């Protein structure tokens, strides 16, 4: 029998090194590595390389890099790593829609083998037959999983994959002489990239609001379609975790109007091996290999948004594509109808390799288990959270909840003044990441969206639910403890309003210095 | 010397809400008030004011409350454990809207940091008449009529807003002051008019709805709408432009002045007529091609029939539903919480024609398809 102990990590405290930014460290002239002078013989063979750099490209003064010794650099980055909570370090249930799951270490080992890490994208195809085979076969797996006919792995992430699909929709209508079709329909609870990327591709974006049960308003769709409809780009299940079982009807309405339908399956965890984009009538889809297929997110990459299309859209896929002639694999660029490139070469190959290894280790039954276990986990967490005061479920009447649910702390906020942002700051005191609330706009008040994927054990889920239960109780008894959180973390609070103020952003150290100068002069 | 403590003005309209439960449409005017009392009506405002004040109890030593005597704030503040600074004088039990106005003026004079008031649309209008946009205000909803957008979602939220306002500096935002259109009322129509704008501290969730947004995001949405409109605007069409801050942003983009509370007409990017009434519009339209540009007015999402009655059923019928353009920021649409946009033009046929679904421009090349319902019951 397990030891009876509190589920909460009451003694947790995050590392708080108060580490400066590396640009503020070190001293002038300090060096991490002293590069040895080249030997005379080498100099003779190589000659004067520097004089070949055109004068107008030469720096007149060296770049302002940090000047700092090696031990300090190592210490600095180890400290930073201690102040981060990654998926290998915490119960990452709070990051709903991100599909945080365990990335088996053996797959990481494979991806780091020199056979992979030393491949060059410009190598002759004769010398890379092995990896081309993996790419080709993995595309076959995804065809089986989705029903689509052909895949590309070129997009480096989900949004880029959706953008690729928007470009394919544009190319399809242009090829048919129907460029007046300039409207893409999406839904409010689809991922925001389903609105943002078609806008980038030049489309107008028409959004459908949810009906009273959280489903996209079908009547609004009927009112929205016209001769200007280029297509519909949606997720299902949506952000709320609600699966729309009538999705085929929506697809049919758009098809009748002459549009294409693109299925955002970045997160396919709840339906993997159970239902397919093809049978729902979609013309194209995409999967995030760094979500559903277990490759790590890697702090914004490298990722891969695998795009799949039906046979009648194959010719529009980005170049190059991998073809197999029965004996050899080929990298093919000559495709006159292609939308071109959205990124260079064949994509982030190590990501494809990890996903391939993950699928091979599971097999078809294992793939289906992933979906079933994640749905069971989600329902178990829902049951636990239904016993927590102050939590409500968005659209409680919607029956089909799959792998995640958008909850609301609205009742807690009404009764105690403690809202979702307060709880979000408080959870980190128990050694888990601050959670994901919702994409914008916040239609569900005081939202949060946990997603307990197949990775998490019953104990993990119990611990996570206990953290939320404890904080809810705290909100009723001593709300200020929650409002002033975190108490045990690396940093205390940040003013989130600056996130919306471009004047307060700095993408580089130089921009920071410039902007700080102007703040100072304005007396801010 | 400037006081270290922040100072909040408190005005309770002691009779607000008295007519609600007894079926009256408000308590403005002595006759209505007498009737309400006779029918056994009880004011909502003292209770609501206290709910808001109790929410602020934990910081009561960190602020000074400046208020008017007795039932206009003093009683409520004391009952909640505050020690208010009481100014002005009233006739106990016989206060009128003049007392609200003089209280607002006195508090503006005393330079309070913000004004917290409990009441309804009439109270908001009195404050607007007295001090315009001189002070940031926070409305505790306690009246029968709450069409104005200056009110918090509920009394507790009003208290939370004061707390937040004291904790960190807030940007200010214009919110509509609406009240019953007395002229229309005398003609037997219940309809509201847009009176003006008061400044509220921007805290979207507690004021207008559940969406997290930002003042910068809001401005950029308006700019996006304006840019899109400027691209799509067609020559040879008359544009009948309703009141509102979003339509004002469009005029600004075109370099044109805008009557904030009224209807303007533009054509070929020039003003044809400003602040027009129904007849003027009808004469201008005559048999010309025209479009109507409106934005929801007030907190309830009316696109026709509240604050823009100059755009009458006859005008709408002449122009046609397909030429009605609705603009609103995504924030404003989200704040409707799924409720439909509303129309109440006073003509059933026109209302029926407008109901169903309509496109709403929410940003640069961004639109919603949104439900339009009948607003008669509101």
């Amino acid at each position: 029998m397990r030891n009876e102990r509190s589920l909460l990590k009451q003694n947790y405290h995050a590392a708080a090194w108060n580490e400066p930014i590396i640009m503020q460290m070190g001293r002038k002239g300090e060096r991490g590595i002293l590069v040895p002078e080249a030997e005379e013989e080498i100099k003779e063979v190589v000659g004067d390389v520097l004089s070949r750099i055109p004068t107008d490209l030469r720096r007149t003064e060296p770049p302002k890099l940090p000047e700092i010794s090696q031990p300090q650099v190592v210490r600095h980055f180890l400290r930073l790593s201690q102040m981060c909570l990654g998926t290998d370090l915490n119960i990452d249930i709070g990051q709903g829609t991100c599909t945080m799951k365990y990335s088996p270490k053996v797959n990481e080992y494979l991806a780091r083998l020199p056979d992979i890490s030393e491949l060059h994208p410009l190598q002759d195809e004769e010398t890379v037959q092995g990896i081309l085979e993996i790419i080709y076969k993995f595309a076959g797996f995804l065809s089986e999983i989705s029903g689509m006919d052909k895949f590309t792995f070129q997009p480096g992430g989900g949004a880029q994959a959706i953008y690729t699909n928007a470009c394919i929709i544009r190319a399809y209508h242009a090829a048919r002489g129907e460029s007046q079709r300039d409207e893409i329909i999406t839904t409010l609870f689809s991922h925001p990239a389903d609105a943002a990327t078609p806008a980038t591709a030049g489309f107008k974006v028409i959004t459908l609001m949810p009906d009273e049960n959280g489903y996209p308003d079908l009547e609004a769709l009927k009112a929205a379609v016209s001769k200007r409809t280029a297509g519909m780009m949606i997720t299902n299940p949506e952000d709320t975790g609600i699966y729309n079982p009538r999705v085929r009807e929506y697809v049919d309405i758009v098809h009748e109007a002459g549009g294409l339908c693109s299925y955002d399956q970045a997160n396919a965890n709840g339906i993997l091996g159970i239902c397919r984009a093809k049978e729902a009538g979609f013309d194209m889809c995409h999967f995030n290999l760094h979500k559903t297929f277990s490759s790590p997110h890697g702090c914004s990459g490298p990722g891969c948004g695998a795009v799949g299309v039906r046979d009648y859209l194959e010719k529009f896929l980005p170049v190059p594509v991998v073809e197999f002639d029965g004996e050899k694999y080929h990298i093919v660029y000559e495709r006159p109808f292609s939308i071109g490139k959205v990124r260079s070469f064949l994509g982030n190959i190590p990501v494809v390799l990890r996903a391939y290894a993950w699928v091979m280790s599971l097999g078809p039954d294992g793939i289906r288990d992933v979906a079933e276990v994640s749905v069971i986990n989600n329902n178990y967490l829902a049951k636990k959270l239904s016993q927590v005061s102050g939590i409500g479920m968005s659209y409680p009447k919607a029956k089909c909840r799959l792998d995640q649910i958008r909850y609301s702390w609205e009742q807690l906020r009404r009764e105690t003044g403690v809202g979702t942002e307060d709880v979000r700051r408080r959870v980190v005191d128990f050694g888990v990441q601050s959670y994901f609330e919702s994409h914008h706009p916040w239609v569900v008040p005081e939202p949060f969206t946990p997603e307990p994927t197949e990775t998490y054990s019953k104990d993990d889920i119990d611990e996570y639910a206990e953290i939320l239960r404890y904080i809810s109780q705290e909100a009723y008894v001593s709300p200020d403890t929650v409002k002033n959180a975190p108490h045990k973390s690396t940093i205390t609070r940040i003013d989130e309003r600056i996130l919306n103020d471009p004047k307060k952003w700095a993408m580089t150290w130089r921009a920071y210095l410039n902007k700080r100068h102007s703040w100072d002069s304005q007396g801010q | 010397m400037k006081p270290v403590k922040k100072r909040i003005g408190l005005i309770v309209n002691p009779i607000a809400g008295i007519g609600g439960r007894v079926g009256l449409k408000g308590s403005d005017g002595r006759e209505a008030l007498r009737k309400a009392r006779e029918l056994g009506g009880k004011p909502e405002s003292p209770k609501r004011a206290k709910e808001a004040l109790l929410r602020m109890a934990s910081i009561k030593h960190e602020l000074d409350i400046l208020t008017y005597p007795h039932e206009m704030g003093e009683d409520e503040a004391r009952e909640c454990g505050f020690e208010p600074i009481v100014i002005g004088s009233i006739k106990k039990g016989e206060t009128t809207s003049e007392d609200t106005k003089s209280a607002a003026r006195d508090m503006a004079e005393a330079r309070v940091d913000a004004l917290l008031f409990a009441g309804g649309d009439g109270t908001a209008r009195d404050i607007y008449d007295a001090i315009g946009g001189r002070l940031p205000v926070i409305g505790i909803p306690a009246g029968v009529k709450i069409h104005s957008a200056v009110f918090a979602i509920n009394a507790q939220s009003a208290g939370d807003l004061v707390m937040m306002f004291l904790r960190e500096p807030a940007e200010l935002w214009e919110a509509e002051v609406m009240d019953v259109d007395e002229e229309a009322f005398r003609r037997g129509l219940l309809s509201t008019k847009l009176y003006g704008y008061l400044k509220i501290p921007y805290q979207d969730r507690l004021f207008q709805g559940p969406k997290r947004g930002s003042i910068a995001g809001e401005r950029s949405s308006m700019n996006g709408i304006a840019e899109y409109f400027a691209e799509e605007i067609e020559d040879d069409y008359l544009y009948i432009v309703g009141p509102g801050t979003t339509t004002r942003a469009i005029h600004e983009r075109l370099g044109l002045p805008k009557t904030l509370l009224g209807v303007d007409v533009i054509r070929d990017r020039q003003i044809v007529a400003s602040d027009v009434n129904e007849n003027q519009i009808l004469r201008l339209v005559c048999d010309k091609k025209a479009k109507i540009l409106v934005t929801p007015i007030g907190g309830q999402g009316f696109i026709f029939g509240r604050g823009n009655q100059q755009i009458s059923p006859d005008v709408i019928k002449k122009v046609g539903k397909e030429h009605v353009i609705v603009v609103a920021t995504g924030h404003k649409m989200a704040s409707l919480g799924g409720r439909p946009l509303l129309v109440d033009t006073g003509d059933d046929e026109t209302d029926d024609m407008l109901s169903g679904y309509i496109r709403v421009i929410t940003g640069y090349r961004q639109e919603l398809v949104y439900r339009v319902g009948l607003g008669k019951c509101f």
Side-chain angles (χ1 to χ4, degrees):
Chain A
M1 200 181 128
R2 247 160 47 88
N3 279 341
E4 281 303 321
R5 60 181 175 85
S6 167
L7 286 168
L8 296 178
K9 294 184 173 50
Q10 297 271 17
N11 294 329
Y12 169 81
H13 200 299
W17 288 104
N18 198 21
E19 197 65 2
I21 287 173
I22 197 159
M23 303 302 291
Q24 298 167 307
M25 299 172 75
R27 280 171 211 294
K28 195 160 178 55
E30 208 170 299
R31 288 290 178 271
I33 299 167
L34 296 173
V35 184
E37 183 81 358
E39 289 166 33
E40 286 305 321
E41 289 158 279
I42 294 173
K43 281 184 180 171
E44 259 170 50
V45 174
V46 175
D48 180 9
V49 281
L50 293 180
S51 67
R52 283 156 63 185
I53 300 172
T55 45
D56 56 346
L57 285 182
R58 285 191 207 182
R59 286 179 172 280
T60 51
E61 53 185 296
K64 292 195 179 83
L65 296 172
E67 299 179 85
I68 185 169
S69 76
Q70 207 170 108
Q72 275 201 66
V73 171
V74 171
R75 204 158 60 208
H76 175 66
F77 284 103
L78 268 177
R79 285 177 175 181
L80 291 188
S81 76
Q82 285 195 342
M83 295 194 290
C84 295
L85 273 178
T87 198
D88 280 348
L89 203 56
N90 84 122
I91 298 172
D92 226 354
I93 287 174
Q95 300 300 308
T97 79
C98 291
T99 318
M100 303 310 291
K101 57 174 70 179
Y102 183 64
S103 305
K105 295 302 161 232
V106 63
N107 297 344
E108 193 56 38
Y109 176 74
L110 289 175
R112 291 184 186 199
L113 287 174
D115 309 62
I116 296 297
S117 64
E118 289 176 11
L119 283 175
H120 194 282
L122 291 175
Q123 263 174 262
D124 190 281
E125 64 187 30
E126 287 284 341
T127 67
V128 289
Q129 287 291 302
I131 193 66
L132 293 183
E133 181 181 348
I134 285 173
I135 292 169
Y136 188 84
K137 287 190 169 163
F138 185 62
F141 297 169
L142 292 189
S143 289
E144 190 60 35
I145 288 169
S146 66
M148 298 294 114
D149 295 297
K150 186 135 185 120
F151 271 83
T152 174
F153 303 120
Q154 193 174 69
Q160 201 173 28
I162 304 170
Y163 174 73
T164 304
N165 275 333
C167 292
I168 291 173
I169 293 173
R170 192 177 57 192
Y172 169 83
H173 291 303
R176 294 158 57 95
E178 289 204 294
S179 292
Q180 90 285 357
R181 292 188 178 271
D182 65 348
E183 293 183 351
I184 291 287
I185 298 165
T186 186
T187 68
L188 191 80
F189 285 133
S190 287
H191 191 277
D194 290 299
T197 65
T200 306
F203 289 106
K204 282 183 196 171
V205 178
I206 318 297
T207 301
L208 308 180
M209 301 294 280
D211 68 15
E212 60 277 14
N213 291 323
Y215 297 110
D217 189 335
L218 187 63
E219 295 307 311
L221 175 63
K222 289 176 187 167
V225 292
S226 73
K227 276 181 272 184
R228 308 212 26 198
T229 303
M232 176 172 76
M233 307 185 76
I234 56 169
T235 44
N236 188 32
E238 296 195 289
D239 243 20
T240 46
I242 298 171
Y243 182 84
N244 178 3
R246 296 165 67 194
V247 65
R248 180 80 208 214
E249 283 178 55
Y250 292 66
V251 169
D252 289 345
I253 288 169
V254 175
H255 279 163
E256 275 162 33
L260 292 175
C261 294
S262 171
Y263 194 168
D264 172 351
Q265 297 193 279
N267 172 4
N269 232 36
I271 55 174
L272 206 56
I274 293 172
C275 57
R276 313 198 303 173
K278 182 183 181 183
E279 280 69 34
F282 284 92
D283 306 290
M284 57 229 293
C285 75
H286 94 275
F287 297 109
N288 282 11
L289 302 189
H290 51 279
K291 285 185 175 175
T292 312
F293 291 88
S294 127
S295 189
H297 287 63
C299 290
S300 290
C304 176
V307 163
V309 297
R310 299 289 303 279
D311 49 10
Y312 43 88
L313 297 174
E314 271 188 42
K315 62 181 178 182
F316 301 111
L317 282 175
V319 288
V321 295
V322 177
E323 303 283 11
F324 183 53
D325 64 10
E327 276 181 30
K328 278 193 176 151
Y329 297 92
H330 302 286
I331 302 174
V332 181
Y333 277 89
E334 291 78 35
R335 295 169 59 85
F337 292 96
S338 168
I339 60 164
K341 295 175 185 171
V342 292
R343 204 167 188 281
S344 11
F345 307 111
L346 290 166
N348 282 322
I349 299 307
V351 179
V352 178
L353 177 73
R354 289 190 200 99
Y356 173 86
W358 187 76
V359 171
M360 287 296 280
S361 70
L362 287 169
D365 294 340
I367 289 280
R368 194 184 167 98
D369 282 349
V370 165
E372 288 176 352
V373 173
S374 66
V375 173
I376 290 167
N377 278 358
N378 185 43
N379 281 283
Y380 178 66
L381 179 65
K383 181 81 186 165
K384 299 281 291 191
L385 295 187
S386 71
Q387 295 149 12
V388 175
S389 308
I391 294 185
M393 198 192 273
S394 62
Y395 305 105
K397 282 187 193 151
K399 287 196 183 70
C400 286
R401 302 283 178 158
L402 297 185
D403 54 325
Q404 67 188 30
I405 292 174
R406 178 145 303 150
Y407 297 91
S408 168
W409 286 113
E410 175 63 7
Q411 192 196 337
L412 187 80
R413 195 194 63 77
R414 253 197 337 264
E415 291 173 355
T416 69
V418 171
T420 192
E421 283 166 336
D422 302 311
V423 179
R424 179 172 182 261
R425 272 183 281 100
R426 181 60 174 146
V427 295
V428 303
D429 287 335
F430 300 93
V432 297
Q433 283 203 61
S434 60
Y435 56 60
F436 175 67
E437 294 156 328
S438 166
H439 291 116
H440 290 193
W442 281 12
V443 174
V444 174
E446 305 300 323
F448 72 106
T449 317
E451 182 189 8
T453 64
E454 78 280 8
T455 289
Y456 298 101
S457 67
K458 180 174 172 299
D459 288 348
D460 292 339
I461 299 171
D462 287 343
E463 180 178 335
Y464 199 82
E466 176 61 14
I467 293 170
L468 296 180
R469 192 200 61 79
Y470 183 89
I471 296 172
S472 154
Q473 209 176 33
E474 212 171 39
Y476 285 97
V477 181
S478 60
D480 285 344
T481 311
V482 188
K483 283 184 169 179
N484 297 325
H487 306 283
K488 297 175 170 186
S489 192
T490 302
I491 47 173
T492 49
R493 311 178 65 129
I494 52 166
D495 180 358
E496 297 198 2
R497 288 172 308 167
I498 60 172
L499 294 175
N500 292 308
D501 184 1
K503 279 187 237 131
K504 299 282 170 67
W505 301 346
M507 300 305 171
T508 63
W509 182 247
R510 181 159 43 173
Y512 167 73
L513 292 179
N514 288 342
K515 288 197 174 179
R516 201 185 60 173
H517 181 70
S518 74
W519 301 332
D520 287 348
S521 60
Q522 287 164 29
Q524 287 182 23
Chain B
M1 224 179 89
K2 206 173 171 247
V4 181
K5 279 187 187 177
K6 292 257 186 178
R7 298 206 296 176
I8 298 294
L10 171 69
I11 298 175
V12 178
N13 169 1
I15 49 153
I18 196 169
R21 300 268 167 87
V22 293
L24 295 179
K25 300 283 187 286
S27 46
D28 301 341
R30 284 178 195 277
E31 183 56 20
L33 180 59
R34 192 185 54 76
K35 215 171 200 174
R37 287 214 171 104
E38 263 175 32
L39 289 165
K42 284 210 176 67
E44 283 283 304
S45 48
K47 182 166 159 271
R48 299 288 173 219
K50 279 184 271 180
E51 283 170 2
L53 289 167
L54 283 174
R55 203 67 166 210
M56 297 149 56
S58 68
I59 56 157
K60 66 180 161 204
H61 301 298
E62 298 167 36
L63 82 164
D64 283 331
I65 287 189
L66 210 67
T67 187
Y68 250 41
H70 311 299
E71 68 263 34
M72 280 193 71
E74 180 187 359
D75 295 349
E76 288 80 1
R78 289 201 197 282
E79 279 177 52
C80 295
F82 288 86
E83 287 166 25
I85 302 165
V86 183
I87 57 173
S89 64
I90 58 168
K91 265 193 198 166
K92 203 174 166 202
E94 290 178 41
T95 55
T96 66
S97 64
E98 288 310 316
D99 295 297
T100 304
K101 289 179 192 169
S102 67
R105 274 191 292 265
D106 288 350
M107 282 167 201
E109 206 65 24
R111 297 201 182 168
V112 295
D113 293 287
L115 180 56
L116 179 67
F117 73 93
D121 285 332
T123 320
R125 197 181 142 192
D126 289 339
I127 290 170
Y128 171 74
D129 286 344
I131 60 166
R134 277 167 70 195
L135 285 178
V137 303
I138 295 164
I140 304 168
V144 179
K145 298 167 290 159
I146 302 287
H147 294 102
S148 305
V150 299
F151 292 99
I153 296 166
N154 53 39
Q156 288 88 347
S157 298
D160 291 345
L161 265 162
V162 175
M163 302 265 281
M164 249 176 251
F165 182 74
L166 294 178
R167 199 173 290 156
E168 46 197 36
E171 287 191 84
L172 301 180
W173 190 246
E174 292 166 297
E176 295 119 332
V177 176
M178 322 251 321
D179 199 7
V180 165
D181 182 348
E182 283 157 14
E183 231 170 280
F185 194 73
R186 277 196 286 274
R187 281 185 280 132
L189 293 169
L190 180 66
S191 138
T192 51
K193 194 170 160 184
L194 175 60
Y195 277 93
Y197 289 81
L198 280 170
K199 291 199 176 118
I200 60 171
Y202 189 87
Q203 225 305 334
D204 53 330
R205 266 180 303 159
L206 301 180
F207 255 110
Q208 295 167 49
K211 179 235 175 194
R212 185 167 78 161
S214 71
I215 204 157
E218 204 64 357
R219 285 209 187 98
S220 109
S221 301
M222 281 193 184
N223 291 343
I225 291 168
E227 194 61 37
Y228 184 27
F229 185 83
E231 267 180 31
E232 299 273 305
I233 192 167
E234 290 178 68
D235 290 342
D236 303 332
Y237 270 93
L238 277 179
Y239 285 84
I240 301 156
V241 186
T245 49
T246 309
T247 48
R248 180 181 63 187
I250 289 174
H251 272 234
E252 277 167 5
R253 170 65 187 76
L254 297 171
L256 303 174
K258 175 84 192 83
T259 311
L260 188 55
L261 305 182
V263 176
D264 298 329
V265 179
I266 57 178
R267 181 176 174 171
D268 297 339
R269 297 169 187 260
Q270 298 300 324
I271 294 273
V272 174
S274 289
D275 202 8
V276 287
N277 61 30
E278 180 194 1
N279 285 335
Q280 289 169 307
I281 298 174
L282 284 172
R283 241 177 290 132
L284 282 167
V285 173
C286 195
D287 51 359
K288 295 191 194 72
K289 293 189 294 182
K291 297 192 184 196
I292 295 171
L293 175 65
V294 286
T295 188
I297 297 290
Q300 297 184 329
F302 275 93
I303 50 172
F304 286 110
R306 298 285 185 277
N308 57 11
Q309 288 90 336
Q310 303 93 317
I311 309 174
S312 67
D314 284 348
V315 175
I316 297 166
K317 274 190 255 181
K318 210 155 199 175
V319 171
K321 185 184 179 182
E322 70 279 13
H323 288 143
V324 172
I325 305 167
V326 182
V327 293
T329 62
H331 175 111
K332 184 114 187 176
M333 296 306 293
S335 75
L336 294 175
R339 287 174 287 120
L341 288 169
L342 298 172
V343 290
D344 181 17
T345 62
D347 175 66
D348 289 348
E349 201 186 315
T350 310
D351 288 354
D352 286 342
M353 172 186 92
L354 290 167
S355 67
Y357 285 85
I358 202 159
R359 287 194 175 203
V360 180
I361 296 176
T362 56
Y364 181 72
R365 293 169 74 80
Q366 287 172 25
E367 298 177 14
L368 289 180
V369 175
Y370 206 85
R371 214 147 40 90
V372 179
L374 303 178
K376 261 194 200 163
C377 40
F378 289 86

